[in-house]
Every structure is written in structure tokens, then in C-alpha cells.
Amino acid sequence: MKERLEALKNEALAQLQEVDSPENLNDLRVKYLGKKGALTEILRGMGSLSAEERPVIGQVGNEVRAAIESVIEVKQNAFQKAETEKRLQAEKVDVTLPGRPMSQGGVHPLNKVIQDIEEVFIGMGYNISEGPEVETDYFNFEALNLPKDHPARDMQDTFYITEELLMRTQTSPVQMRTMQSMDGKSPVKIICPGKVYRRDDDDATHSFQFNQIEGLVIGENIRMSDLKGTLQQFVQEMFGANTQIRLRPSFFPFTEPSAEVDVTCVKCGGSGCRMCKQTGWLEILGCGMVHPKVLEAGGYDSEKFTGFAFGMGVERIAILKYGIDDIRHFYNSDMAFLKQFSRI
């Protein structure tokens, strides 16, 4: 039996020297050291040996097992090292190569227009006021001289949540909240940017959600000429020093008198083109002197205080400023469209 063990060891070591893959190595381990392997098969015959022979053969068997396991371990380590080297070569990174530039985003064109408008009015001494988008009927309509049966409510078809709660149709409620917080004593000079909601069908010029910026000035001896001068300075800073404005009589329940404001066409400069329908003018916003009833609702004495207000759609300003032909481009998340504004 001792000779058989020695022969087995020599055979196993010889084959292990020729092994060329981890799979073949595992096969040889099972062949010689497995539960049904050659070494186990020989050692099962120890039952026929005498008591004196068993320890000797057992020791030889252990030595054979240890010799084979030792070679297997060396081979396994060699294969693992080779595999590691191969993977490192495949994953090698040249740290001297220049880095890959990261794509840089930009400000959304609507946010950029809002920032530009805010900068213009902050430069004129205005503060920025904000308020809730879910508003009460009182602040959105009634306090602004629009009682529940007023026909002008039809101009602002509304998303109602309950009979008294709605998605605001304008940022005017922020003006009223600000006025009431002043206790009818302090002057007001604010702009109110934010999202508003109306039940419009989406098309090239309308959206159920859009951005609006309204302005409000209240004080003593505020006149229509102050409003016109403010708007003239605003349009020149937004569209260029040669831009002029034109006021046309209009109607808004919360102002009296009221006016629509046109600017000289940003494309033709007022000479007439397809964009302005050959008129030389483009409508841009609405404005007027604050109605006495609105002043009273805000806590101000309409005999002592006067004021003016104006409101504009941010999308309308952006369309004119950047020559965009469809309001839906702002909301479609089209990267090809948005990348045009990454450097503005």
C-alpha cells in the first residue's frame, strides 16, 4: 500500500505540473483528493492492515495529501495572479491623459427672463414678494374688485379646488396680501413673480400654466406719468435703448384708468413686418392706476394714497426677446431647444 501511495503522489505531481487552467486544476483536485478520489480509494484498504501498519500507512497518506495540496495551492495562486494582471491590463487608466470635459447645463430661458426682469426692477428700488399658488377666492377675485357675479371672471377661467379655494389665475393676490400687511400706512413698491393657472387649451400661444410678474407701487401723489416712465425704462433695459412704448385704453377691474402697453416691434424696430402684422407695435403687458376699491380692500385711504399696477406674462417677454414661435417649446424638455440658451 505504501508503494501505491508513492506512485499516486508521483502521478499526481506530474499531472499538476502540466495543468494549464483553473478548470483543469480543479478537475485534478477532485480526481486525487475528492471523496471518491484515488487517495481516498487507497486509504479505504487500511482496514485490512495490522495494528502496527495502520499508523505508518496513515502517516504516508497524510504526507501524500499534503504534497498534492501544496502544489495545488501554488498553482491556484499562480492562476489568480495571472488573472489579476490580465484584468489590470484591461482596466489600465493612463492618468496623464487629459480629463473628459463634463457637460455644463444652463439656466432655463424662462428663469433667465425672470432673473433679468427682477434685476431691472430691483435696480429701480423694488422688492420681490411671493405668495401661495393655491389661493382663496377672496384674495384672487373679491378683494381685487371682482365679486362673485362679476362678468370679468369669465376672462380668467379657473381651476377650482373647492368653492373658496382655487389655483391662482394671477399674482395679484400677492399684491393684496402685501398691502394688508402694511396696515395702510407704509408705501409699497414690489414685483410679484410666480406661476399662475387658467383653463386654457395648450397651443402655440396659450398654456394652462404659465409664469407672470406683476408690479405694484402705492404712495402719495403716484401718477400715471410715473407708471409710463417706469415701463419705458423697463422695456429699454429689456429690449434695447431705442424701444418705445404706446399705451392704449383698456379695461381691468382692479385698475382705473387701465391700459394695454405695446412696444415697438423687436424684429423690425417699428417699420412694420410679419411679426407685428405691419403695425410696428407688439402688445406686451397690461397696467393702470390702482382702483380705489382695491386700495380700500388693502387697508389704504384712497383719498390719501394712489398707486399703479402692471402685469406681464414671462413667456410673452421670452418669446419676443428670443424670437420663439411656440410657447410649448418652454415645457417640452427638448434638449436641442434648451441648449440654445446655455450661454445666455
Side-chain angles (χ1 to χ4, degrees):
M1 186 175 289
K2 182 176 180 181
E3 289 76 12
R4 290 178 61 193
L5 289 172
E6 289 294 338
L8 176 67
K9 180 178 76 170
N10 294 333
E11 177 187 331
L13 295 181
Q15 291 195 22
L16 286 172
Q17 292 301 321
E18 302 296 328
V19 73
D20 58 359
S21 70
E23 293 77 13
N24 291 339
L25 180 65
N26 186 62
D27 291 343
L28 290 177
R29 181 187 63 78
V30 173
K31 176 181 178 181
Y32 290 107
L33 303 181
K35 290 183 179 180
K36 297 181 180 180
L39 179 61
T40 304
E41 186 67 25
I42 294 175
L43 294 177
R44 281 177 182 165
M46 290 178 62
S48 61
L49 299 177
S50 64
E52 293 80 9
E53 292 177 317
R54 288 175 188 170
V56 176
I57 297 302
Q59 182 178 356
V60 174
N62 290 335
E63 290 174 352
V64 170
R65 180 182 296 275
I68 296 173
E69 287 179 343
S70 177
V71 175
I72 289 175
E73 182 179 359
V74 170
K75 287 289 184 177
Q76 282 181 331
N77 292 337
F79 286 134
Q80 289 176 355
K81 184 177 180 181
E83 179 62 26
T84 300
E85 290 291 335
K86 182 180 178 181
R87 188 169 65 251
L88 288 176
Q89 289 296 322
E91 299 175 357
K92 182 170 63 176
V93 177
D94 187 349
V95 296
T96 65
L97 290 174
R100 296 184 179 92
M102 296 181 64
S103 59
Q104 184 174 0
V107 178
H108 192 281
L110 291 181
N111 288 335
K112 182 61 169 65
V113 170
I114 291 172
Q115 292 172 3
D116 290 344
I117 295 172
E118 288 177 346
E119 288 179 6
V120 170
F121 283 103
I122 288 173
M124 289 191 276
Y126 284 69
N127 294 315
I128 298 175
S129 293
E130 297 179 334
E133 295 178 19
V134 178
E135 195 46 278
T136 64
D137 185 90
Y138 169 78
F139 280 110
N140 196 80
F141 289 126
E142 293 182 49
L144 300 172
N145 199 31
L146 280 160
K148 291 186 182 298
D149 59 351
H150 200 294
R153 287 198 181 201
D154 294 339
M155 300 166 59
Q156 300 184 22
D157 203 2
T158 310
F159 291 107
Y160 275 92
I161 300 171
T162 68
E163 289 187 2
E164 295 300 324
L165 281 179
L166 52 88
M167 302 301 293
R168 67 181 181 189
T169 62
Q170 53 202 357
T171 56
S172 302
V174 182
Q175 299 180 5
M176 180 54 63
R177 289 177 178 275
T178 302
M179 291 167 63
Q180 291 186 0
S181 70
M182 297 296 185
D183 297 323
K185 299 177 182 178
S186 303
V188 175
K189 197 173 184 181
I190 60 170
I191 57 170
C192 311
K195 293 184 178 69
V196 298
Y197 305 85
R198 299 182 187 178
R199 291 179 59 191
D200 281 330
D201 294 328
D202 284 2
D203 58 29
T205 58
H206 298 85
S207 175
F208 69 92
Q209 172 198 290
F210 57 98
N211 293 272
Q212 192 177 57
I213 293 182
E214 296 194 16
L216 174 69
V217 174
I218 295 177
E220 297 184 32
N221 301 316
I222 301 298
R223 297 164 297 185
M224 194 77 173
S225 58
D226 298 318
L227 170 60
K228 184 176 181 181
T230 297
L231 297 179
Q232 180 68 61
Q233 181 174 343
F234 163 68
V235 300
Q236 288 181 342
E237 293 201 37
M238 283 298 294
F239 300 109
N242 295 325
T243 308
Q244 298 299 313
I245 65 172
R246 179 181 71 177
L247 274 63
R248 293 180 288 107
S250 186
F251 167 76
F252 301 110
F254 25 81
T255 54
E256 181 61 38
S258 304
E260 299 280 1
V261 179
D262 303 329
V263 297
T264 48
C265 179
V266 295
K267 186 173 183 180
C268 66
S271 61
C273 68
R274 182 178 179 181
M275 183 176 184
C276 62
K277 299 179 181 179
Q278 305 302 324
T279 65
W281 298 94
L282 295 169
E283 182 182 327
I284 190 173
L285 58 86
C287 66
M289 300 300 293
V290 180
H291 197 288
K293 289 187 177 180
V294 177
L295 286 171
E296 297 290 345
Y300 285 85
D301 182 353
S302 60
E303 296 294 327
K304 180 179 179 182
F305 290 93
T306 55
F308 64 75
F310 55 86
M312 67 189 81
V314 175
E315 285 81 353
R316 175 67 172 165
I317 303 296
I319 284 173
L320 297 179
K321 188 174 179 66
Y322 299 123
I324 297 166
D325 60 358
D326 193 323
I327 193 174
R328 290 169 292 193
H329 291 320
F330 294 123
Y331 302 108
N332 288 339
S333 299
D334 184 344
M335 293 304 297
F337 170 79
L338 295 175
K339 283 181 179 179
Q340 300 177 83
F341 304 93
S342 61
R343 301 295 182 184
I344 60 174

